[in-house]
Amino acid sequence: MQILVSGASIAGPVLAYWLVRHGFCVTVVERAPTLRKTGGHAVDLFRPAMNISEKMGVLPRIEERATGTNRMTVHQEKARRPVRVDLSKIFNATSDRHVEIMRDDLSEIYYDAARDDVEYIFGDSITAISPDGEVRFENAAPRRFDLVVGADGLHSNVRRLTFGDESRFSAFIGAYLGVLTLPNLSGLDGELLIHVGVGRTVGLSPPRRAPAEGAAARCVRRHAP
């Protein structure tokens, strides 16, 4: 059975790993020319994801690249003093297994787990999917698959081709979110620093890397009515 997965970030490589181990032939197509190194964005893995990663044999690598963020300080406009929170207590109350890791690090680890058994096509994208399984690409020749899986993110190309423009299904939630990597000029170490104001929030958190390499910045601006 030939299976095509669109997207080589997190879900795509993990799905490809398990499909191959159950006897399927898997191709993963990714629009970016290489694995995405977007930076700035950390993700939290709790017990279900930790258990899956352990079965894949990649948990030690994930734990090695954990951000180590274990506390949070919140500064609110006009507040007399900041609020300090022990994040480790919150995570332990939520799950008995947890790790935070940068998204691009996690993507690379999952990709490496099955890269020798999966066909990866970078720098290409699906342009059409026919009911009989024929798939057309921007660059590669058309091919036929038994199953096509969309693991291509928030603005899924596969979803758009199958169900129509996303504007039919999406709704604005009243906020904009931007994530980027900046030099760690504040010297943050294991701390999530948040500044909260009316209609806006900024968060800074360091990855577990050399202090000069970067700090993740998250900026949320709520839409003015």
Side-chain angles (χ1 to χ4, degrees):
M1 189 172 183
Q2 301 287 332
I3 300 178
L4 174 65
V5 178
S6 177
S9 180
I10 304 296
V14 172
L15 176 62
Y17 175 94
W18 290 108
L19 287 174
V20 165
R21 271 143 189 79
H22 284 80
F24 299 101
C25 296
V26 183
T27 299
V28 177
V29 60
E30 167 59 48
R31 174 173 294 177
T34 61
L35 286 180
R36 297 177 186 268
K37 292 291 183 180
T38 54
H41 184 31
V43 294
D44 291 285
L45 305 184
F46 293 95
R47 169 169 278 278
M50 297 280 281
N51 290 348
I52 292 172
S53 300
E54 188 171 41
K55 292 178 180 179
M56 294 174 65
V58 299
L59 188 56
R61 289 191 63 194
I62 291 175
E63 293 175 333
E64 287 174 0
R65 300 197 189 185
T67 64
T69 302
N70 55 25
R71 60 191 186 279
M72 176 175 66
T73 300
V74 181
H75 296 269
Q76 187 172 359
E77 282 184 346
K78 300 181 180 180
R80 297 180 60 185
R81 59 179 63 89
V83 176
R84 292 182 171 85
V85 180
D86 185 344
L87 289 176
S88 60
K89 292 183 179 179
I90 296 177
F91 292 139
N92 290 338
T94 304
S95 175
D96 58 350
R97 304 190 76 179
H98 167 265
V99 66
E100 183 188 68
I101 182 173
M102 301 306 291
R103 184 182 181 88
D104 50 3
D105 287 341
L106 185 62
S107 174
E108 180 182 9
I109 290 170
Y110 285 148
Y111 166 75
D112 288 343
R115 61 184 302 177
D116 296 332
D117 303 314
V118 176
E119 178 190 15
Y120 276 89
I121 302 175
F122 286 97
D124 211 341
S125 181
I126 300 172
T127 59
I129 306 172
S130 68
D132 63 356
E134 183 180 77
V135 177
R136 295 185 177 276
F137 302 92
E138 288 183 0
N139 301 313
R143 292 170 58 179
R144 195 173 302 278
F145 295 90
D146 299 294
L147 178 66
V148 178
V149 179
D152 42 4
L154 182 63
H155 304 291
S156 170
N157 184 45
V158 168
R159 182 173 59 229
R160 179 182 59 81
L161 291 171
T162 305
F163 300 107
D165 190 87
E166 67 177 27
S167 62
R168 297 170 53 197
F169 312 103
S170 63
F172 182 60
I173 62 173
Y176 298 99
L177 172 65
V179 183
L180 65 154
T181 298
L182 301 171
N184 191 7
L185 300 178
S186 300
L188 293 176
D189 182 12
E191 179 184 18
L192 171 60
L193 184 63
I194 296 180
H195 291 265
V196 181
V198 178
R200 60 191 183 277
T201 300
V202 174
L204 293 169
S205 61
R208 177 172 285 175
R209 295 171 181 166
E213 187 167 339
R218 301 176 180 88
C219 178
V220 177
R221 178 176 291 275
R222 289 184 287 278
H223 181 66

